[in-house]
Amino acid sequence: MTTPAEGSLVLGIDLGGTKILAGVVDDQHRIVGRAKESTPAREGPEALREALVSAGRDALQVAGIGPERLSAIGIGSPGPLDVDAGVIRSSPNLNVTDFPLKGTLEEAFGTPVAVQNDVRVGGYGEFKLGAGRGYRDVLAAFVGTGIGGCLIRDGRIVTGVTGNAGEIGHLIVKADGPKCGCGRKGCLEAVASRTAITRRVYKAIKKGASTPLRDVVKSKTSRLKSKELSGAYRSGDPVAVHEVDRAARFLGLALGGLMNVLGPEIIIVGGGVTEALGGPFVDLVRNAARAQAMADPDRLVRIEQAELGDDSGLLGAALIARERFVGTGEPQRT
Ligand SMILES: [Zn+2]
């Protein structure tokens, strides 16, 4: 851990469905104090407020600073959001409606707050500070419980007229395929997310397949951790290998199609599943995408693994807040 830096400090928060990550970030984009809280996903708004404030305070404490040293706060949150008002409009995963993220944090820390969609801040973090450094046209795909995407065109996040552009998780990749959480059938998320893989592993077990995952996946809604999946995959468990290969193929199918449409300079593949499975998974995705990408005969589009891991969200959130309230966000050398 570095000592608290001179210059402006920003608090970045990544509000996820299972955990809240908070970090104090200096003007060289280094995390100088970090904290983690479990997300109170079912307890409602007051518990969520307490957890957010507590994560922020703990990060400040680790950094050895008080709230008066903060220039801004940035937070990435699941949506749908009212980004300008800084409100979570509704989130079944967090069990809140019209939750005032911005107001809550402004009141607790007395500093301006920028709110943005969690996947977008992760993508923006990777674009500016991770695998996307030096590029202008980037597509980021994050594979975890669900599948999220972030499209960056000419250096800016594309949100579209709807404000929601970039939702690659709900591209249909299998007509009349399995039902998705969004109500449609055959979405990418319904066949290639960890949730989808878990459901298929459970099916295989029910049909009598022998797999070490039998101890973890006891129902179709069991929580299979990415590490458990990657452990089984690495040990050569046929069920894990088959399902990971299949998920990577579908992800590649979607990304290859997007390569044809968008021609980005780089596609960044991240998220918990990718982190845990690492290079072999990215290779599978790359090969599957290239097989679809008829519009890229010279293989100009790079397909690379994300670099910031779990920190992409909090670093991206801090960066968005820094750019809005402090300055350009470019590191300032003294
Ligand atoms: Zn869907």
Side-chain angles (χ1 to χ4, degrees):
M1 188 75 38
T2 49
T3 49
E6 308 280 308
S8 61
L9 299 174
V10 173
L11 179 65
I13 302 176
D14 178 8
L15 169 57
T18 54
K19 61 184 189 275
I20 300 168
L21 298 177
V24 176
V25 181
D26 73 7
D27 58 7
Q28 309 290 312
H29 309 294
R30 292 176 302 208
I31 300 169
V32 296
R34 61 165 79 232
K36 184 172 161 178
E37 285 272 335
S38 297
T39 304
R42 294 184 210 292
E43 291 86 332
E46 186 49 34
L48 180 59
R49 192 193 72 79
E50 275 173 26
L52 283 167
V53 172
S54 156
R57 285 205 179 120
D58 289 352
L60 293 182
Q61 198 179 15
V62 174
I65 61 163
E68 73 288 346
R69 281 283 281 113
L70 286 180
S71 299
I73 297 175
I75 180 163
S77 165
L81 305 171
D82 181 332
V83 167
D84 295 329
V87 168
I88 303 176
R89 284 166 63 174
S90 71
S91 170
N93 294 334
L94 298 173
N95 190 25
V96 291
T97 306
D98 294 329
F99 181 84
L101 269 181
K102 182 171 170 308
T104 297
L105 293 168
E106 274 177 355
E107 192 185 302
F109 295 95
T111 192
V113 176
V115 174
Q116 187 50 275
N117 168 284
D118 52 353
V119 180
R120 301 249 175 74
V121 300
Y124 198 66
E126 283 292 339
F127 160 56
K128 281 276 175 109
L129 306 171
R133 285 190 316 278
Y135 296 100
R136 303 283 293 166
D137 291 331
V138 178
L139 175 66
F142 295 95
V143 187
T145 316
I147 294 182
C150 175
L151 176 62
I152 288 159
R153 199 78 185 167
D154 200 22
R156 300 177 74 91
I157 299 176
V158 176
T159 54
V161 70
T162 59
N164 297 312
E167 280 288 357
I168 67 166
H170 303 279
L171 279 170
I172 307 294
V173 291
K174 193 170 195 290
D176 291 324
K179 195 155 184 203
C180 181
C182 75
R184 290 164 192 81
K185 281 182 171 178
C187 293
L188 178 60
E189 183 167 298
V191 296
S193 65
R194 188 173 53 228
T195 315
I197 293 171
T198 307
R199 210 184 302 127
R200 292 203 29 112
V201 167
Y202 178 66
K203 254 191 191 167
I205 291 170
K206 260 198 352 193
K207 281 189 190 155
S210 152
T211 162
L213 296 174
R214 182 181 284 276
D215 298 334
V216 196
V217 181
K218 297 201 154 97
S219 78
K220 66 179 176 183
T221 54
S222 281
R223 206 134 132 196
L224 170 63
K225 292 184 182 149
S226 295
K227 270 191 187 144
E228 293 162 341
L229 177 64
S230 71
Y233 180 80
R234 289 209 176 107
S235 74
D237 168 43
V239 173
V241 169
H242 181 259
E243 295 309 332
V244 166
D245 285 0
R246 185 175 185 273
R249 257 201 333 274
F250 277 114
L251 184 59
L253 190 68
L255 294 178
L258 289 167
M259 281 163 75
N260 290 334
V261 176
L262 300 167
E265 293 170 296
I266 182 168
I267 295 175
I268 300 170
V269 187
V273 168
T274 312
E275 287 301 315
L277 290 162
F281 180 70
V282 178
D283 291 344
L284 289 168
V285 173
R286 188 187 295 113
N287 291 338
R290 292 245 160 94
Q292 286 301 318
M294 45 74 71
D296 185 23
D298 298 326
R299 301 194 162 187
L300 297 175
V301 181
R302 303 189 55 130
I303 301 172
E304 304 292 344
Q305 187 174 344
E307 288 179 3
L308 302 178
D310 248 9
D311 289 338
S312 64
L314 83 85
L315 284 171
L319 186 58
I320 282 172
R322 181 175 290 281
E323 289 181 349
R324 186 170 315 165
F325 299 116
V326 185
T328 61
E330 297 302 325
Q332 283 144 27
R333 312 259 167 217
T334 45

